[in-house]
Amino acid sequence: MQGLKKLLSHHQLTRFVIANPEHAPYGERAQEVLTHLGLWHSIQPHLVFGENVSQAAQFTLSGSTQGGIIALSLASSERFRRRANYVVIPQSLYTPLKQRMVLTLKAGPTAEHFYRYIQTAPAQQIFAKYGFGRAEHSTL
């Protein structure tokens, strides 16, 4: 994030993308990071908003922005690694996004098998490889 601070302080930043914080969870977290770093007000004139994190990622790859904050799972993909560099933002700078999977009472055997598989060690390794945290089992 030092590079972003440097670009801003030297008036060299023209366009930086995040998902729209008005309705995109990743955009909310990007705003949270930028606020935590004291950059939110100074970066606002340079912000481009994607409708969602996928569109924000497309803007970074297209070259229409100098950078952005996107999901680690997208930034660490092969497609991105070939064309861009990324840094992992410390989780201490934002509230984690909690995603859920629900198995309904009408779920068939395939869905039940997948639900169980998601909680296994091999599945957890796949999640970690693509930038996701550990899936935890919980019931209400």
Side-chain angles (χ1 to χ4, degrees):
M1 302 307 295
Q2 293 300 323
L4 183 56
K5 289 180 182 181
K6 184 177 178 181
L7 286 174
L8 281 167
S9 67
H10 289 90
H11 306 288
Q12 295 175 326
L13 184 68
T14 55
R15 297 174 62 141
F16 190 82
V17 67
I18 65 172
N20 189 331
E22 297 277 325
H23 57 262
Y26 281 96
E28 290 175 358
R29 296 323 187 271
Q31 180 178 355
E32 192 176 341
V33 167
L34 294 166
T35 300
H36 188 90
L37 294 172
L39 300 175
W40 180 246
H41 293 294
S42 59
I43 203 169
Q44 282 187 6
H46 310 286
L47 284 177
V48 175
F49 294 112
E51 284 300 307
N52 53 51
V53 72
S54 294
Q55 188 178 53
Q58 289 172 348
F59 288 162
T60 62
L61 279 183
S62 73
S64 62
T65 65
Q66 289 169 275
I69 298 177
I70 61 172
L72 178 58
S73 59
L74 295 172
S76 62
S77 72
E78 177 78 23
R79 185 172 141 212
F80 274 83
R81 286 193 319 253
R82 284 185 304 213
R83 299 180 60 193
N85 297 317
Y86 71 91
V87 296
V88 177
I89 297 172
Q91 285 189 348
S92 61
L93 298 180
Y94 60 92
T95 307
L97 282 172
K98 301 245 183 201
Q99 300 182 36
R100 305 282 190 258
M101 180 174 86
V102 176
L103 186 64
T104 67
L105 297 176
K106 294 181 181 181
T110 303
E112 290 176 11
H113 179 73
F114 181 71
Y115 183 81
R116 284 191 301 278
Y117 172 74
I118 289 297
Q119 299 170 60
T120 66
Q124 296 306 305
Q125 291 172 347
I126 294 169
F127 278 122
K129 177 180 176 184
Y130 291 99
F132 291 97
R134 186 182 184 313
E136 297 176 11
H137 177 76
S138 65
T139 57
L140 296 177

